[in-house]
Amino acid sequence: MILSPKDRITTPQAAVVVINFILGSGILTLPRVSVEKVKTPDVWITVILGGLIAMMAGVIIVKLSQQFPEKTFYQYSGEIVGKWVGGLLSLLIVCYLLITSGFQVRSMVEVTGFYLLEGTPIWASTMPFIWIGLYLIIGGINPIARLFEIILPITVILFLLVAFMSFGIFEMDNLRPVLGLGVIPVLKGIKTTALAYTGFEIMLFLPAFMKHPNKAVKAVLVGISIPLIFYVITVIMVIGALSVDGVVTRTWPSLDLIRSFEIHGLIFERFESLLLVIWIMQIFSSFTISYYVAALGLAQLFKKNIQPFMFGLLPVIYFISMIPKNINDLFKLGDMVGYIAMYLFGLLPLLLLIVSRWKVGKHEAKL
């Protein structure tokens, strides 16, 4: 039930899952949080460096997973560090994924409440969102991957359309001078931008579902490259239009960029609704895949059917999404998720890979 032949996905589908998991709140918040750290127009360089670091971490995760064919992290971690420590690490990842799910749900509620559904109770926005997510994940990884395949092209087309329509208010001078204050400000922002790529950790689990797990490195590199391009375009367009000083004073600078211009004579004169459409689709993608993998973790840890865990986690995610009292609490929760991800997926996979290779070498030496 947990892993069946029908649960196999192709290499492009794996890449699409990585892309959709990474994209989400980063498109809306990355320009502000990165500019706050860098404080120069060189943020786009920081975004590229952050993406390269994420690629290295992603490849390490894939190499670790490939040591244990057809097994997820929940199943093979015990073989590396022992049953109890492996179980504890798996539970930590399940908790991380549940907090991530709750954060995604609340982010959706805050943005839609501010721009689309003003005055709507939080529970009224939350309940349909998480129930639809449950309906999707009940079918397993295949329906999730197929839906992501539909969402991604729509996202690419609408994002590029909206981004390039803002060229009318773009000022190249806002991006100059390049490295005017040296490389130190750029290096200060790398941690922030690297955290915007969290989502590649899904490769701790996806290779077990892939038809060709030997191509998982290709999937993760493509899966991080596309968000990297999205993020670079976003920060260049936002800073070019709003300037560094203008970005740090806004909560959602990407949406404010789209709201700052109108094109008369078209069916739509305002275009923030298009950006919101693709952002809500991406936030739904991030929510569903983290929800599914959290339920999968409990199912594999306790060797039970996955469906009771899917239903059982629904109120847990709802509760977590209700914890932030306001938008500042939500940003603090997002920062906490990022720091947990940095330690769990930045350092831990490398240590586990070293230990597993050492164990293999030790075993071969005895033969």
Side-chain angles (χ1 to χ4, degrees), residues 10 12 22-23 29 35-36 68 75 105-106 143 157 166 168 185 199 206 224 226 253 267 271 309 314:
T10 63
I22 292 176
L23 291 175
T29 59
V35 169
E36 282 178 350
F68 304 91
Q75 294 169 312
V105 172
R106 186 56 184 271
I157 294 170
S166 61
L206 277 192
I224 296 174
I226 303 299
I267 297 175
F271 300 95
F309 292 104
L314 202 68

Side-chain angles (χ1 to χ4, degrees), residues 79-81 349-361:
E79 296 181 26
I80 303 174
V81 291
L350 179 60
L351 293 174
L352 293 179
L353 181 61
I354 293 171
V355 173
S356 65
R357 289 275 173 90
W358 175 72
K359 280 191 169 182
V360 170

Side-chain angles (χ1 to χ4, degrees), residues 138-165:
I138 282 176
I141 193 73
N142 247 294
I144 296 173
R146 288 200 296 270
L147 178 67
F148 287 10
E149 283 184 302
I150 296 171
I151 288 175
L152 185 60
I154 298 172
T155 299
V156 172
I157 294 170
L158 290 184
F159 175 78
L160 293 178
L161 178 69
V162 170
F164 289 111
M165 285 176 76

Side-chain angles (χ1 to χ4, degrees), residues 12 83 114 131 148 185 196 198 256 265 311 320:
K83 180 181 175 183
F114 189 76
W131 275 105
F148 287 10
T198 52
D256 287 340
F311 283 92
I320 294 171

Side-chain angles (χ1 to χ4, degrees), residues 277-354:
V277 166
I278 61 174
W279 178 78
I280 290 172
M281 289 193 298
Q282 291 303 326
I283 212 85
F284 181 73
S285 303
S286 301
F287 160 67
T288 50
I289 192 65
S290 53
Y291 180 12
Y292 174 75
V293 177
L296 177 71
L298 293 178
Q300 293 188 334
L301 277 175
F302 295 104
K303 296 182 171 54
K304 302 289 185 184
N305 192 303
I306 191 172
Q307 287 198 357
F309 292 104
M310 290 176 174
F311 283 92
L313 290 179
L314 202 68
V316 177
I317 293 172
Y318 179 81
F319 174 75
I320 294 171
S321 72
M322 293 295 153
I323 291 176
K325 302 297 182 191
N326 50 47
I327 193 74
N328 292 324
D329 287 349
L330 179 65
F331 288 150
K332 288 177 184 174
L333 181 63
D335 291 341
M336 187 183 78
V337 169
Y339 287 121
I340 294 173
M342 184 171 66
Y343 292 109
L344 267 183
F345 309 117
L347 298 175
L348 183 63
L350 179 60
L351 293 174
L352 293 179
L353 181 61
I354 293 171

Side-chain angles (χ1 to χ4, degrees), residues 67-270:
Q67 298 263 311
F68 304 91
E70 300 192 357
K71 289 184 179 179
T72 69
F73 179 85
Y74 303 125
Q75 294 169 312
Y76 66 69
S77 58
E79 296 181 26
I80 303 174
V81 291
K83 180 181 175 183
W84 291 104
V85 177
L88 179 62
L89 292 175
S90 297
L91 281 176
L92 283 175
I93 290 181
V94 169
C95 291
Y96 162 79
L97 291 167
L98 289 175
I99 296 173
T100 300
S101 300
F103 172 73
Q104 304 289 3
V105 172
R106 186 56 184 271
S107 297
M108 181 278 301
V109 170
E110 289 293 334
V111 175
T112 55
F114 189 76
Y115 287 103
L116 295 176
L117 305 171
E118 188 177 353
T120 305
I122 291 176
W123 65 265
S125 302
T126 303
M127 296 297 283
F129 191 81
I130 60 177
W131 275 105
I132 295 171
L134 172 65
Y135 178 75
L136 173 65
I137 69 171
I138 282 176
I141 193 73
N142 247 294
I144 296 173
R146 288 200 296 270
L147 178 67
F148 287 10
E149 283 184 302
I150 296 171
I151 288 175
L152 185 60
I154 298 172
T155 299
V156 172
I157 294 170
L158 290 184
F159 175 78
L160 293 178
L161 178 69
V162 170
F164 289 111
M165 285 176 76
S166 61
F167 259 126
I169 56 173
F170 183 84
E171 294 285 345
M172 183 58 79
D173 288 342
N174 288 335
L175 292 168
R176 294 172 178 158
V178 177
L179 294 177
L181 296 178
V183 297
I184 299 301
V186 172
L187 297 178
K188 283 182 179 176
I190 286 180
K191 186 173 75 176
T192 302
T193 54
L195 292 178
Y197 294 93
T198 52
F200 60 81
E201 64 269 16
I202 196 66
M203 293 307 288
L204 285 169
F205 314 97
L206 277 192
F209 295 91
M210 292 177 66
K211 290 178 182 174
H212 306 289
N214 57 318
K215 296 182 179 177
V217 170
K218 182 180 177 182
V220 75
L221 290 179
V222 173
I224 296 174
S225 298
I226 303 299
L228 191 157
I229 295 169
F230 268 56
Y231 286 162
V232 170
I233 293 175
T234 301
V235 296
I236 286 177
M237 296 306 295
V238 169
I239 295 173
L242 303 177
S243 79
V244 169
D245 295 333
V247 170
V248 293
T249 58
R250 290 169 163 86
T251 306
W252 312 104
S254 303
L255 283 171
D256 287 340
L257 164 67
I258 307 304
R259 286 162 61 89
S260 61
F261 67 89
E262 296 180 4
I263 298 180
H264 298 283
L266 299 179
I267 297 175
F268 301 104
E269 294 185 354
R270 303 290 294 272

